[in-house]
Amino acid sequence: MELSFRWYGEDDPVTLENIKQIPDMKHIVSAIYDVPVGEVWTTERIAKLKQTIEAAGLKFEVVESLPVSEEIKLGTDKRDELIENYKTSLVNLAENGVKTVTYNFMPVFDWTRSQLDYELSDGSNTLIYKHDQLKDIDPLTTDLNLPGWDESYSREEMNHLITSYREISDEQLWENLKYFLDGVLPTAIEHDIDLAIHPDDPPWPIFGIPRIIKNKDSYERLLSINDSKNNGICFCTGSLGSLAENALPSMIRTFGEHIHFVHMRNVKRLDSHSFLETGHLSKNGSVDMKAVVEALQDINFKGTIRPDHGRMIWGETGKAGYGLFDRALGATYINGLIEGVSK
Ligand code: DNO
């Protein structure tokens, strides 16, 4: 297992030079952020990103994310064309040495929190999700500013999407995921790209919209669609860890060769559907981070691990969850855990 760090491209205030100085940092996970969702990532654009990352002495083998269009998730008649584009992007990524492609199947909203700057007792700021603060909000009538919200949608488009998703069931969303995987997996297998689905975050429905990737049963169902190792998982300890029923080490041992990428962060569960994001240490939250790394060692995990969201510490400002300092502390902690379990 090797460490990676998420980088948002040239506009990221956290530079590749900063990242390279984190002890034993090997990989960058990134994406092409200015190509609209659904359009092809060209070989040239991918090669340029790869060259930039490699010039800084880091590897580019993991994409986070190649987003899946809402039309595919909704199962509209535009999906076949968009699935073809997705396949072309996968081929272009493979040509550039990319091995793992992260995606998610969360309708409209990616990761969602109720507050992005909750102050902890040590004066740092963190992300928090309180279900009672979100459960009565209707995004059709409220102007929201959420981190995983694609702001390129107009209000009209957004309302149309939300209304459409409210009409589909979990079953339909599973059908649409199957249709997508049936379409893209043969290409992924042929070009040896490991797909890695990120769990829903939080792992329960929000705003009356279905969410389906949340626990062990979800992964069993995912693999029943296709049990090739290329049909894989991005194992996010924070997303899955916010649901108490998720026994993370045992899930890692169960889904072993399907896990291609790991997001490591800790959450402190406040109640059954509320949590706050703590520093990475086990003692700060509800996730036993050492047991997670031990399980990864047991499955002989060969992919990359990245520290996930960090708090804002030492006065740093920037993209919520994605500053340099606390993620770098998380990386050194993960390094220590890896060294601890190494034979
Ligand atoms: C949040 C991230 C997610 C993740 C996507 C993968 O911090 O973990 O936005 O990148 O869900 O498609």
Side-chain angles (χ1 to χ4, degrees):
M1 34 189 155
E2 292 188 333
L3 272 192
S4 57
F5 209 79
R6 189 173 196 177
W7 180 63
Y8 280 94
E10 304 290 353
D11 296 335
D12 193 332
V14 180
T15 64
L16 291 173
E17 290 68 30
N18 293 153
I19 297 169
K20 174 70 184 156
Q21 289 171 5
I22 298 168
D24 213 34
M25 185 54 65
K26 297 268 176 29
H27 296 254
I28 286 295
V29 301
S30 194
I32 300 179
Y33 290 99
D34 59 355
V35 174
V37 177
E39 286 183 20
V40 170
W41 289 11
T42 62
T43 313
E44 295 69 31
R45 287 297 308 274
I46 301 165
K48 188 162 175 275
L49 179 60
K50 178 182 162 78
Q51 279 154 17
T52 307
I53 292 169
E54 289 182 347
L58 292 154
K59 296 191 257 189
F60 178 53
E61 295 175 359
V62 180
V63 159
E64 179 176 358
S65 304
L66 181 57
V68 178
S69 314
E70 301 297 339
E71 283 84 354
I72 294 176
K73 291 184 249 175
L74 275 169
T76 71
D77 53 13
K78 284 203 197 131
R79 68 177 159 178
D80 289 332
E81 184 188 332
L82 292 160
I83 287 174
E84 286 310 310
N85 286 355
Y86 205 95
K87 285 158 62 177
T88 307
S89 296
L90 290 180
V91 174
N92 294 346
L93 286 165
E95 265 175 31
N96 278 287
V98 167
K99 299 184 172 141
T100 302
V101 171
T102 318
Y103 71 103
N104 72 70
F105 222 71
M106 286 178 256
V108 196
F109 307 98
D110 188 333
W111 60 296
T112 301
R113 300 290 180 268
S114 52
Q115 192 185 339
L116 303 179
D117 58 354
Y118 178 82
E119 193 170 321
L120 293 167
S121 58
D122 61 7
S124 62
N125 286 331
T126 197
L127 308 156
I128 189 167
Y129 179 94
K130 286 202 159 176
H131 202 56
D132 57 358
Q133 287 176 1
L134 273 199
K135 76 177 177 7
D136 298 326
I137 293 177
D138 186 351
L140 287 181
T141 51
T142 315
D143 275 328
L144 292 177
N145 179 15
L146 298 169
W149 173 295
D150 181 345
E151 289 171 17
S152 64
Y153 291 118
S154 68
R155 160 57 66 184
E156 203 184 2
E157 286 165 334
M158 185 61 74
N159 284 4
H160 175 68
L161 278 177
I162 292 170
T163 312
S164 309
Y165 278 114
R166 284 183 174 166
E167 284 164 10
I168 74 169
S169 61
D170 283 19
E171 275 311 304
Q172 186 62 52
L173 198 55
W174 272 110
E175 280 297 306
N176 297 344
L177 175 57
K178 177 173 169 16
Y179 191 94
F180 168 69
L181 288 173
D182 287 346
V184 298
L185 269 170
T187 305
I189 292 167
E190 186 187 340
H191 295 270
D192 206 15
I193 290 259
D194 291 322
L195 296 179
I197 192 166
H198 189 282
D200 300 347
D201 183 4
W204 49 77
I206 53 168
F207 306 132
I209 295 174
R211 289 190 154 209
I212 53 174
I213 305 296
K214 40 198 186 196
N215 55 22
K216 186 164 183 256
D217 290 352
S218 319
Y219 292 132
E220 276 165 2
R221 183 156 182 183
L222 175 81
L223 302 192
S224 76
I225 294 173
N226 186 317
D227 66 1
S228 150
K229 67 106 191 162
N230 303 73
N231 184 21
I233 295 169
C234 167
F235 197 88
C236 177
T237 63
S239 309
L240 295 167
S242 49
L243 203 55
E245 72 178 57
N246 284 331
L248 305 183
S250 128
M251 288 168 78
I252 292 171
R253 291 188 177 92
T254 303
F255 299 111
E257 65 161 3
H258 292 274
I259 298 175
H260 302 301
F261 182 27
V262 175
H263 287 180
M264 279 203 75
R265 71 182 153 85
N266 205 345
V267 286
K268 187 175 173 59
R269 293 189 290 270
L270 304 173
D271 61 42
S272 66
H273 288 82
S274 298
F275 57 87
L276 65 78
E277 300 198 16
T278 65
H280 282 71
L281 269 67
S282 299
K283 64 167 69 162
N284 293 151
S286 309
V287 176
D288 185 340
M289 304 286 271
K290 180 173 170 233
V292 165
V293 174
E294 281 169 346
L296 292 170
Q297 173 80 0
D298 283 355
I299 65 164
N300 198 17
F301 178 63
K302 294 276 186 239
T304 82
I305 304 186
R306 74 168 176 83
D308 205 353
H309 308 159
R311 298 162 300 142
M312 282 300 171
I313 62 172
W314 304 335
E316 186 177 20
T317 54
K319 197 172 178 60
Y322 284 97
L324 172 64
F325 302 147
D326 200 41
R327 283 193 298 153
L329 292 181
T332 60
Y333 173 64
I334 297 166
N335 268 334
L337 292 175
I338 295 174
E339 185 173 315
V341 301
S342 302
K343 300 276 178 325

